[in-house]
Amino acid sequence: MNKIFNLRMILLGAGLMVLLGSCEPNNDVITAVNITQTNLTVIDRDSMVGEWQLTTMQADTLVDLDDDGIGHVNILEETTCFDTMGITFNDDGTFTTVNSKLDFNYGANADEFKCLSGRTDQGTWDVENDELILDLQINGEVYNDRKIIGKEADSFGFDVSKFESSQYVDDPGDSHASHILVLAVEYTRVN
């Protein structure tokens, strides 16, 4: 009888060990939480000072601007129009940006696009927590924009809604870019 009792105790102990061992925290979940908490850190204004080049303009859908039958979500793979886009944030709170725009009202049937590039704009900037605050002067008018940004050591990015995208695309409503609802842009540090 003692042998049966001892055997039951050993099995009960082994079962408890398996049960307790399976209750350890999942390291994948802990890692995901740490990554999320890291992304919530406040962006240091000094880390934004410098020159940045546009390196990604990601659409929420495939786009075939060059009519080669192959669509891409990164619009920079479809046109060279945005290759000169960049921004320089200065220590004194001013910035200069070079912008480009696709105009889809060209061609014999007004169904082709033309790149309007090289427009330089200026203004003032600041950061507040995870927001980039821009006061941009265009043709004598000041536009205020606040963008929630994601930042890594050598890059930052933000989303551009369909409403905001008019600064990049002049779309009559039936172009290759008409179905884009959101663009995610990313800039990489040049110096």
Side-chain angles (χ1 to χ4, degrees), residues 25-183:
N26 182 338
N27 287 337
D28 293 340
V29 173
I30 291 171
T31 301
V33 168
N34 288 341
I35 289 171
T36 302
Q37 288 173 346
T38 300
N39 292 342
L40 294 176
T41 57
V42 175
I43 297 169
D44 179 8
R45 186 179 189 281
D46 291 339
S47 70
M48 295 294 293
V49 172
E51 185 179 349
W52 304 82
Q53 183 73 35
L54 180 70
T55 51
T56 303
M57 186 179 276
Q58 189 101 0
D60 59 346
T61 186
L62 290 175
V63 179
D64 185 15
L65 294 175
D66 59 9
D67 283 328
D68 67 354
I70 302 169
H72 293 94
V73 291
N74 186 355
I75 293 175
L76 300 183
E77 295 181 38
E78 290 292 318
T79 179
T80 59
C81 184
F82 303 105
D83 288 356
T84 60
M85 281 185 63
I87 189 166
T88 301
F89 296 110
N90 300 309
D91 277 329
D92 65 359
T94 62
F95 74 93
T96 303
T97 181
V98 176
N99 290 301
S100 299
K101 185 174 188 174
L102 292 177
D103 188 338
F104 283 93
N105 295 310
Y106 282 87
N109 298 321
D111 62 353
E112 297 174 21
F113 74 87
K114 179 179 180 179
C115 178
L116 307 173
S117 64
R119 186 185 86 211
T120 301
D121 300 309
Q122 299 175 342
T124 60
W125 73 280
D126 203 354
V127 291
E128 187 176 289
N129 298 324
D130 61 349
E131 281 189 308
L132 176 61
I133 303 164
L134 301 173
D135 289 322
L136 180 65
Q137 299 170 16
I138 301 175
N139 298 326
E141 198 166 334
V142 176
Y143 298 89
N144 182 274
D145 200 6
R146 294 177 82 96
K147 294 307 253 173
I148 294 176
I149 61 174
K151 175 130 180 14
E152 295 183 15
D154 291 322
S155 66
F156 75 93
F158 53 87
D159 289 343
V160 178
S161 70
K162 178 82 169 177
F163 176 75
E164 297 168 314
S165 70
S166 63
Q167 63 183 317
Y168 303 111
V169 178
D170 185 10
D171 183 7
D174 57 355
S175 74
H176 295 292
S178 295
H179 53 282
I180 298 172
L181 298 177
V182 177
L183 288 172

